[in-house]
Amino acid sequence: MPELPEVETTRRGLERHLEGQRIARITVRDRRLRLPVPRRLPSLLGGATIKALTRRGKYLLIDCGAGTLIIHLGMSGRLWLPDPATPPEKHDHFDLLLANGTVVRLRDPRRFGLVVWQRGDPLRHRLLAHIGPEPLSAQFDGTVLHRATRNRSAAIKQVLMDSRVVAGVGNIYANEALHRAGIHPGLEARRLTLARCGILVEKIRETLNAAITAGGSSLRDYVGSDGMAGNFQSEFLVYDRAGKPCVTCGAPLRGIRQGQRSTFYCPKCQKR
DNA sequence: CGCCAGGCCTGCACGC
DNA sequence: TGCGTGCAGGCCTGGC
């Protein structure tokens, strides 16, 4: 499911319901996620008060003071507030019950997501420690991208999806941003000029911001934390549109494979 | 049945 | 020898 915009949409939807609330109970129904959900979670979290809900890349961080609950939604995860009377379903692996009765529920059929605990600074966790700059922050600009790509012979699209280069850009938004920037996804990353790096950064931001504004993209089962589906998928210019006309020039869009992932691009608008 | 799917970690091979 | 890099495989379920 989720790339940065979907995770950010989830964060924004949950934030005001979580912050300042005390955690009354934890229910773990299946701890077999990408990493096992720690057994000691209930004792670590019970009675803790949530200080903030933040995001780093595609990770959600629930700051509980003494430590942080780190949640990743993987490919198929969703975190939302069900009606507390709604019984959990088959893939509802994890619930937080807040003292005011609110239930925060994690559903993840494929179990590529995770829930872990980090004492102290969550950014020191090994999963977060080497993540690159946030794409919507001032830490990420054309110069930074240019430097990060200098010795990379891999295709720019694959390098964009490398979380050490920039956080949170997944398959959909790598495709979309490259189209908007007029850059061929197969271009060797180190061949990008500084000027084009600047344009690409701008287009990555533009794409992510537009997606966040639309409430994320709803493919298959994804819906936001309020139960509302995002609708950025209706604004996709290239993703999953192989053979359809380019919105800009009308040429048929191409679908190829890069590193076992689907790539879509316009052979006319996107230059090497 | 086989293939595909929004992620991302691991281990191996390779070149400098 | 060591490091960075590139690539394939694996983790899962569900839908077509």
Side-chain angles (χ1 to χ4, degrees):
Chain A
M1 169 204 45
E3 297 184 34
L4 187 151
E6 291 73 37
V7 177
E8 179 61 18
T9 297
T10 299
R11 191 197 70 76
R12 292 183 186 185
L14 295 179
E15 185 174 34
R16 72 190 169 90
H17 298 280
L18 267 61
E19 284 187 2
Q21 295 299 321
R22 191 169 60 82
I23 297 171
R25 195 172 65 223
I26 320 281
T27 306
V28 182
R29 299 183 194 83
D30 191 341
R31 58 181 78 254
R32 299 170 303 160
L33 301 187
R34 198 174 97 216
L35 294 179
V37 179
R39 289 184 183 279
R40 62 211 165 88
L41 219 48
S43 59
L44 287 165
L45 276 171
T49 294
I50 296 172
K51 301 240 185 308
L53 176 61
T54 59
R55 178 187 59 71
R56 177 77 173 101
K58 297 172 192 164
Y59 291 86
L60 283 167
L61 309 176
I62 301 179
D63 177 1
C64 298
T68 301
L69 198 59
I70 301 173
I71 297 179
H72 193 284
L73 301 175
M75 290 276 259
S76 58
R78 169 188 171 196
L79 191 69
W80 85 111
L81 308 175
D83 181 322
T86 307
E89 294 182 22
K90 186 176 178 186
H91 300 293
D92 293 348
H93 308 310
F94 179 88
D95 278 0
L96 283 181
L97 173 64
L98 306 183
N100 68 358
T102 300
V103 173
V104 185
R105 181 162 289 167
L106 175 71
R107 175 176 299 175
D108 184 4
R110 291 176 71 180
R111 289 192 273 120
F112 286 1
L114 57 84
V115 178
V116 292
W117 174 258
Q118 172 75 16
R119 297 186 59 147
D121 180 2
L123 303 185
R124 280 185 9 235
H125 192 282
R126 65 178 176 87
L127 295 171
L128 304 185
H130 305 292
I131 295 182
E134 283 293 321
L136 300 178
S137 78
Q139 307 305 310
F140 186 55
D141 61 22
T143 307
V144 167
L145 180 61
H146 191 250
R147 197 183 313 133
T149 51
R150 281 318 79 192
N151 53 0
R152 301 294 296 265
S153 61
I156 181 59
K157 188 209 167 210
Q158 294 175 263
V159 173
L160 277 190
M161 292 173 65
D162 180 344
S163 66
R164 292 165 304 179
V165 172
V166 57
V169 178
N171 198 36
I172 290 178
Y173 298 103
N175 277 300
E176 294 296 314
L178 284 166
H179 178 76
R180 290 176 183 231
I183 295 169
H184 193 291
L187 177 67
E188 269 190 48
R190 61 187 171 195
R191 292 178 56 198
L192 266 181
T193 62
L194 177 58
R196 293 184 98 195
C197 284
I199 292 168
L200 183 50
V201 165
E202 189 184 314
K203 297 302 178 182
I204 290 169
R205 285 209 181 94
E206 189 182 288
T207 307
L208 296 176
N209 279 323
I212 292 168
T213 299
S217 302
S218 298
L219 302 188
R220 302 168 193 88
D221 55 358
Y222 174 76
V223 290
S225 56
D226 55 358
M228 297 292 290
N231 54 14
F232 189 71
Q233 69 281 3
S234 66
E235 297 175 45
F236 288 166
L237 300 179
V238 290
Y239 184 78
D240 208 20
R241 297 194 67 238
K244 295 185 176 150
C246 172
V247 175
T248 309
C249 76
L253 298 175
R254 285 199 186 144
I256 60 171
R257 301 287 293 178
Q258 286 182 296
Q260 302 159 285
R261 306 302 298 272
S262 296
T263 294
F264 304 92
Y265 69 102
C266 173
K268 199 169 154 194
C269 294
Q270 294 177 247
K271 313 281 190 206
R272 283 186 187 271

